[in-house]
Amino acid sequence: MQVGGSVSENQDVTVGVDTHKDVHVAAVLDQTGRVLGTRGFPTTMRGYAQLATWAESFGTVAKVGLEGSGSYGAGLLRFLTDYGLVVIEVDRPDRSTRRRIGKTDTIDAESAARAVLSGRATGTPKTRDAQVEMIRALRVARRGAMKARIQAGGQLEGLIVTAPEPVRQLVRGLAGKTRIRVCATLRPGTMSDPTTATKVALRRLARRWLTLQAKIDDLDSHLAALVTSATPELIALPGVGVDTAGQLLVTAGDNPHRLHSEAAFARLCGVAPIPASSGRTDRHRLHRGGDRDANRALWRITLVRMRCHQPTKDYVTRRTAEGKTKTEIMRCLKRYIARETFPLLQATVVSAAMPDAGEAWGDRA
């Protein structure tokens, strides 16, 4: 531990924490920016308690700047919030700062504290303690199952292309799930030649695909119940399904009030227009930062509406006549959808013990 200068119990202090898998490093600054102390703590409940007690030994903790609140710092975030401290989400230091002063865990912790003290960091972290967190966890499992299923399907199709003719004859003219089910019922017999080896491989891949599909269907049933109970108004919007609504909920978090305006939500989703003019060209483009999964969800909603929603089709026709390109029209639509969905996300009251969601979850467990 490093301590500089005298310590007053009546002074307000700011804490910065650089989070890691095994050890969190904290730095304490006074109101003038002077470093009062730095120290590492284990990533356990006891370590969290030690960090809070140690920080309060320097004075009244005004705010805690936490880097990595959505990953390694999630456990510490929950503890500090329950403890009653104000936690601010801090982005990692920019590269120019790291090139100028170097990088250590202590430097990063001090940088987090200075970002909060200066007012540069003001973001409220996601609480991750209610229904949206349940949706996020299930979506992680579903995304992994989807990726593995696609991989298994691609391997099966590639193996069929190069399979011996007797094997190809068995699946000729079949496609989709029918082909996969036929491959899953193959009886290769004794492993004696390439034909039997190919049958074994096809059966294994097909059964893997069917198992993964069953897991995806099970996760979809849980997600449908949770998302519908969390925000039925959002699901009712044209072009919005369980998957896209779930992603927007995850982006907003369990505490969507942390987003102070729909413009902030649009920027978080990467659909905030920024100037892109030059010379005689006067135009805007969308901000390319933010949550790209949320941006993709808005894109899917836009695409569905352009194909199936008559008011949107009329809008596309009108804007096309004005000389707008399809890309520019889709940018306008994504911005409009972000504006339309934001109040519904803010009005969402999420609870870990909602009756409908709890009953649906219990029925499917």
Side-chain angles (χ1 to χ4, degrees):
M1 173 178 173
Q2 305 168 357
V3 180
S6 60
V7 177
S8 172
E9 295 183 355
N10 297 324
Q11 67 179 340
D12 288 339
V13 298
T14 302
V15 182
V17 184
D18 182 32
T19 59
H20 295 277
K21 182 178 180 180
D22 299 316
V23 176
H24 295 334
V25 178
V28 180
L29 307 182
D30 63 13
Q31 292 304 99
T32 63
R34 182 179 52 170
V35 179
L36 301 179
T38 60
R39 184 177 169 184
F41 298 90
T43 57
T44 61
M45 292 299 292
R46 183 176 181 180
Y48 300 157
Q50 290 173 345
L51 189 154
T53 303
W54 172 78
E56 288 181 331
S57 68
F58 295 95
T60 302
V61 177
K63 294 179 181 179
V64 178
L66 192 61
E67 183 181 335
S69 62
S71 54
Y72 290 134
L76 180 59
L77 169 64
R78 295 188 186 98
F79 179 88
L80 294 178
T81 302
D82 294 339
Y83 194 76
L85 298 180
V86 178
V87 181
I88 303 298
E89 186 172 11
V90 179
D91 295 331
R92 66 180 182 180
D94 58 61
R95 294 180 178 178
S96 62
T97 302
R98 288 188 170 179
R99 283 196 297 267
R100 186 174 67 254
I101 64 176
K103 180 194 182 325
T104 66
D105 296 341
T106 301
I107 291 176
D108 288 346
E110 182 182 338
S111 177
R114 295 193 184 282
V116 174
L117 187 61
S118 65
R120 179 168 54 85
T122 59
T124 302
K126 295 180 181 179
T127 56
R128 299 180 182 274
D129 60 356
Q131 196 168 2
V132 172
E133 178 62 11
M134 298 164 65
I135 294 171
R136 186 193 70 84
L138 293 177
R139 284 179 57 84
V140 170
R142 185 184 187 277
R143 184 164 57 246
M146 285 286 293
K147 182 178 180 180
R149 190 199 66 174
I150 293 171
Q151 184 181 43
Q155 290 172 339
L156 186 142
E157 293 296 329
L159 199 55
I160 289 175
V161 170
T162 59
E165 191 59 29
V167 178
R168 299 183 64 186
Q169 286 292 341
L170 296 174
V171 296
R172 191 179 300 278
L174 304 179
K177 288 186 178 180
T178 303
R179 171 180 282 191
I180 291 173
R181 291 193 182 98
V182 169
C183 290
T185 59
L186 289 174
R187 296 181 179 275
T190 305
M191 186 82 66
S192 58
D193 54 24
T195 299
T196 56
T198 302
K199 286 183 179 180
V200 170
L202 290 174
R203 185 172 67 170
R204 291 288 185 269
L205 289 170
R207 291 184 177 183
R208 183 189 305 169
W209 192 98
L210 293 172
T211 299
L212 290 168
Q213 182 60 54
K215 292 178 180 179
I216 292 170
D217 293 340
D218 179 62
L219 290 168
D220 283 342
S221 65
H222 290 314
L223 284 168
L226 286 171
V227 173
T228 303
S229 65
T231 175
E233 296 84 1
L234 184 60
I235 289 288
L237 291 179
V240 180
V242 171
D243 188 54
T244 50
Q247 178 56 59
L248 294 178
L249 282 170
V250 170
T251 300
D254 280 309
N255 50 335
H257 55 274
R258 68 193 182 92
L259 303 172
H260 53 82
S261 68
E262 58 89 13
F265 176 68
R267 190 171 184 85
L268 177 61
C269 294
V271 294
I274 59 176
S277 302
S278 178
R280 298 181 180 180
T281 302
D282 184 14
R283 61 183 291 272
H284 288 73
R285 67 169 178 82
L286 295 187
H287 172 61
R288 294 193 178 96
D291 187 339
R292 304 316 298 171
D293 289 331
N295 186 279
R296 184 160 51 249
L298 294 177
W299 178 83
R300 288 172 59 190
I301 296 171
T302 300
L303 204 61
V304 172
R305 288 189 177 187
M306 289 175 67
R307 292 178 178 177
C308 309
H309 188 230
Q310 190 57 46
T312 302
K313 294 166 72 174
D314 295 340
Y315 173 83
V316 172
T317 301
R318 177 169 61 84
R319 298 292 278 176
T320 301
E322 294 174 359
K324 295 290 185 182
T325 65
K326 181 179 178 180
T327 300
E328 291 172 333
I329 294 171
M330 292 188 72
R331 288 170 179 166
C332 294
L333 287 171
K334 286 198 291 185
R335 181 65 181 87
Y336 170 79
I337 293 169
R339 183 182 299 116
E340 182 183 23
T341 56
F342 177 69
L344 300 180
L345 293 169
Q346 271 205 322
T348 299
V349 179
V350 291
S351 171
M354 294 186 71
D356 293 342
E359 292 172 4
W361 187 272
D363 292 342
R364 291 173 170 83

